[in-house]
Amino acid sequence: PGKKVLIVYAHQEPKSFNGSLLKIAVEELSKQGCSVTVSDLYAMQFEPRATRNDIVGHLHNSEAFNYGVETWEAYKRGALSKDLVEEQKKVQEADLLIFQFPLFWFNMPAILKGWMDRVLVQGFAYDLSKVYDGGLLQGKLSLFSFTTGGGQEMYSKEGIGGDIRYVLWPMQHGIMHFCGVKVLEPHICYAPENVSEEKRKEMLAAWSQRLKTLWKEEPIDCSPEWYFK
């Protein structure tokens, strides 16, 4: 109770299966007494491109633009654009970050990747000497909840897509763990578009059920073995 949750949601249609998963998470977590904030990226028309506009005022080096250096310097002097500051504040306050999205090309949709690129700047999420277990966002949990186009058998070691964990490596390890965030088991709904209405209802019920005991879960072992063993 009293936990703060940020759900970063990347789907264009509220009536979609992802929209239903979002709705269930908001309802279930609120019922537990959590305060839930949603960043609905498409509805916000969130800008995914990392550009000069992310820095307010002068540049650290106006001769040659280096996004990483410029946002780091801007973060230190409180000169990041308003939309980034707002998202960083939500991240800062959250105990748990849930990312809800459909898998596109073995990856998160561009708008969500853009959120990662722009919000998790150096100085805020990590520092060169403070990464992985030492990352600046320690003490937080994250959970990737997503839908796939292909069935579960496609995403197995023997399947044509390879183990789904390979897909999770850049997201869970390369971003979240890098910033010091602990990672809960992903929640994957395989091919909701290709299954019966009954099966879809079961998938939604399973998500609702999992959320009831979410705070008792242990994070995954954040080592390469989890992904590649």
Side-chain angles (χ1 to χ4, degrees):
K3 298 271 195 194
K4 292 194 165 156
V5 182
L6 171 62
I7 305 177
V8 187
Y9 168 71
H11 199 290
Q12 311 88 330
E13 174 52 66
K15 295 198 284 281
S16 64
F17 192 79
N18 272 273
S20 301
L21 290 163
L22 170 70
K23 200 161 160 281
I24 285 170
V26 172
E27 283 169 9
E28 180 52 48
L29 292 165
S30 302
K31 217 189 294 179
Q32 295 174 19
C34 301
S35 71
V36 184
T37 305
V38 178
S39 284
D40 182 340
L41 301 183
Y42 285 102
M44 292 156 68
Q45 298 192 326
F46 186 81
E47 168 60 79
R49 294 170 299 182
T51 67
R52 158 80 180 83
N53 299 338
D54 293 350
I55 296 102
V56 178
H58 70 89
L59 289 177
H60 179 67
N61 173 6
S62 51
E63 298 300 301
F65 183 73
N66 177 321
Y67 186 82
V69 170
E70 293 298 343
T71 47
W72 184 27
E73 292 294 336
Y75 177 74
K76 287 190 282 193
R77 62 171 196 271
L80 286 173
S81 61
K82 188 165 162 285
D83 59 338
L84 292 196
V85 174
E86 280 170 12
E87 293 306 299
Q88 287 177 345
K89 191 165 176 290
K90 294 175 194 173
V91 171
Q92 197 70 64
E93 290 176 353
D95 298 299
L96 167 66
L97 308 167
I98 297 178
F99 300 99
Q100 181 63 60
F101 58 96
L103 200 65
F104 284 5
W105 295 118
F106 276 37
N107 214 322
M108 57 185 95
I111 200 165
L112 178 54
K113 178 59 165 60
W115 185 94
M116 303 281 183
D117 292 349
R118 294 180 63 227
V119 175
L120 303 175
V121 304
Q122 187 174 345
F124 169 68
Y126 68 94
D127 231 319
L128 293 183
S129 61
K130 299 188 176 86
V131 295
Y132 291 112
D133 292 340
L136 299 178
L137 299 179
Q138 288 167 63
K140 299 182 187 302
L141 291 169
S142 61
L143 193 168
F144 286 83
S145 169
F146 59 94
T147 57
T148 66
Q152 190 161 2
E153 62 293 338
M154 265 182 74
Y155 291 105
S156 62
K157 272 208 169 82
E158 296 68 42
I160 186 75
D163 195 325
I164 193 72
R165 291 183 176 197
Y166 306 155
V167 172
L168 289 158
W169 170 253
M171 303 182 206
Q172 294 187 162
H173 186 79
I175 304 176
M176 286 297 117
H177 185 200
F178 186 84
C179 297
V181 180
K182 294 251 190 278
V183 180
L184 295 174
E185 280 278 351
H187 198 85
I188 308 165
C189 291
Y190 290 98
E193 285 182 13
N194 304 334
V195 299
S196 66
E197 187 54 41
E198 198 172 321
K199 186 81 183 102
R200 276 198 288 274
K201 283 190 176 130
E202 279 170 28
M203 285 179 176
L204 295 174
W207 177 225
S208 178
Q209 205 48 48
R210 178 175 178 192
L211 289 163
K212 288 185 190 343
T213 55
L214 197 65
W215 301 104
K216 296 196 176 94
E217 289 186 17
E218 285 298 313
I220 64 167
D221 155 35
C222 281
S223 66
E225 288 74 37
W226 187 88
Y227 299 89
F228 301 109
K229 63 174 181 247

